[in-house]
Amino acid sequence: KAGVTQTPRYLIKTRGQQVTLSCSPISGHRSVSWYQQTPGQGLQFLFEYFSETQRNKGNFPGRFSGRQFSNSRSEMNVSTLELGDSALYLCASSRTEGGLNTEAFFGQGTRLTVV
Amino acid sequence: GDSVTQMEGPVTLSEEAFLTINCTYTATGYPSLFWYVQYPGEGLQLLLKATKADDKGSNKGFEATYRKETTSFHLEKGSVQVSDSAVYFCALSPARAAGNKLTFGGGTRVLVKP
């Protein structure tokens, strides 16, 4: 069974540009969550999508957005990149039992460097 | 809001030593608790979990017990190996809430020397 796949693995962008990251969840998982990992702030929740709808949102500015497609694949977009957006972006997927999510499985992440 | 506090590292041990990483949490009700491990250049791997009080999660020689009275979920391993060198994260998921929103501790780096 394939795991969570994130593409690309590495990205280098310039300040002011925008970037799109992709996440393919484990087959059958309908929930996809995104996290930002930095040395200073640790792991922080960005948002979660379920059945193409944003279900939870963290405390990030509107420059960070996402979406989910009918096949549960998800993308996140960061516009007007800042140096502080340099981070490892992790995607996690989970399935639902009895209306509640089971444990989350993470991808290997996309390392974004903003120069 | 929810929060997780875990001991800061790095923790440096010799092979076959006993490892314990403390984790305490603040949350309402009975959250689910997790330990994740991150190896260099990798994402997070679920190590173990517990979903109710007094549950013991275990995997690969690691154990953690959900203690509601002390709001703790300390990770232990009786005999570590060099391959256990990694960063360990304690995390919680809100009690009976729709949605998957994990709150993580700051992570503890463990270095096991031969």
Side-chain angles (χ1 to χ4, degrees), chain A residues 36-39 82-89 111-115:
Chain A
Q36 182 195 64
Q37 185 177 23
T38 60
E82 301 176 359
L83 295 179
D85 297 332
S86 296
L88 180 67
Y89 290 88
R111 172 76 62 186
L112 172 64
T113 302
V114 182
V115 297

Side-chain angles (χ1 to χ4, degrees), chain B residues 13-102:
Chain B
L13 303 163
S14 297
E15 220 169 9
E16 299 184 4
F18 182 86
L19 170 68
T20 182
I21 304 176
N22 290 339
C23 170
T24 57
Y25 68 89
T26 301
T28 55
Y30 289 80
S32 294
L33 301 175
F34 307 88
W35 278 101
Y36 282 87
V37 59
Q38 186 175 36
Y39 298 100
E42 303 276 325
L44 301 177
Q45 295 178 24
L46 178 65
L47 185 57
L48 53 83
K49 67 174 183 177
T51 57
K52 59 184 187 294
D54 300 323
D55 261 3
K56 176 185 280 189
S58 62
N59 185 27
K60 300 181 182 179
F62 290 90
E63 291 184 341
T65 301
Y66 190 143
R67 300 288 187 199
K68 178 63 175 173
E69 64 275 14
T70 54
T71 61
S72 64
F73 193 54
H74 305 321
L75 182 68
E76 297 181 336
K77 186 175 186 183
S79 177
V80 294
Q81 306 300 312
V82 172
S83 57
D84 294 323
S85 298
V87 181
Y88 293 81
F89 292 92
C90 184
L92 70 80
S93 180
R96 300 201 61 78
N100 197 328
K101 179 182 176 181
L102 290 167

